[in-house]
Amino acid sequence: QVQLVESGGGSVQAGGSLRLSCAHSGLPDGTNYVAWFRQAPGKGREGVAALWIGGGRTYYLDSVKGRFTISQDNAKSTVYLEMNSLRPEDTAMYYCARGWLSHSGSWSRGAEYRYWGQGTQVTVSS
């Protein structure tokens, strides 16, 4: 059984930092991308960051570039999203996702990812 479990969410003031974690188990071989998505109340889901597992290349939503960093541990069993200089507009439920992508251009499309976690809430107050 595939499991993706996010943790690390919470409430912080603007300018603060959080580190989200996504631990996986039971994944079949071959998923080549892992990503973080978020969804704020009343808004659509958006891709925040992605990592090409095989080569290490990373991709970011423009509004988080320079503030967020996606990475994985050496065992490649946990993926992190380091979030700095948080803003109220970063408030959302954050989800970890993994899948097989044929090209990097689709990294932010949720439909490309087959496996999803349950999400962790991030709330940033002004």
Side-chain angles (χ1 to χ4, degrees):
Q1 182 179 359
V2 175
Q3 282 192 316
L4 297 178
V5 180
E6 303 99 334
S7 61
S11 297
V12 297
Q13 290 190 327
S17 299
L18 285 172
R19 188 176 79 158
L20 306 184
S21 299
C22 174
H24 73 80
S25 61
L27 279 172
D29 292 336
T31 53
N32 59 354
Y33 278 80
V34 59
W36 287 93
F37 287 78
R38 67 186 181 188
Q39 186 164 18
K43 295 186 177 181
R45 181 176 58 192
E46 64 178 354
V48 175
L51 170 69
W52 174 35
I53 296 168
R57 187 166 182 174
T58 56
Y59 306 85
Y60 295 96
L61 179 68
D62 282 348
S63 64
V64 308
K65 285 180 181 177
R67 301 188 298 124
F68 290 11
T69 303
I70 187 171
S71 63
Q72 63 181 349
D73 67 355
N74 290 337
K76 299 184 179 180
S77 61
T78 302
V79 174
Y80 304 98
L81 184 67
E82 185 78 34
M83 305 186 295
N84 299 312
S85 302
L86 282 162
R87 305 167 180 168
E89 54 264 39
D90 294 319
T91 295
M93 185 72 79
Y94 283 71
Y95 300 90
C96 174
R98 294 186 70 126
W100 298 272
L101 274 65
S102 58
H103 59 90
S104 62
S106 59
W107 75 265
S108 62
R109 292 185 61 215
E112 297 287 337
Y113 297 83
R114 179 172 180 179
Y115 304 106
W116 292 80
Q118 295 300 306
T120 185
Q121 177 68 36
V122 171
T123 303
V124 185
S125 58
S126 57

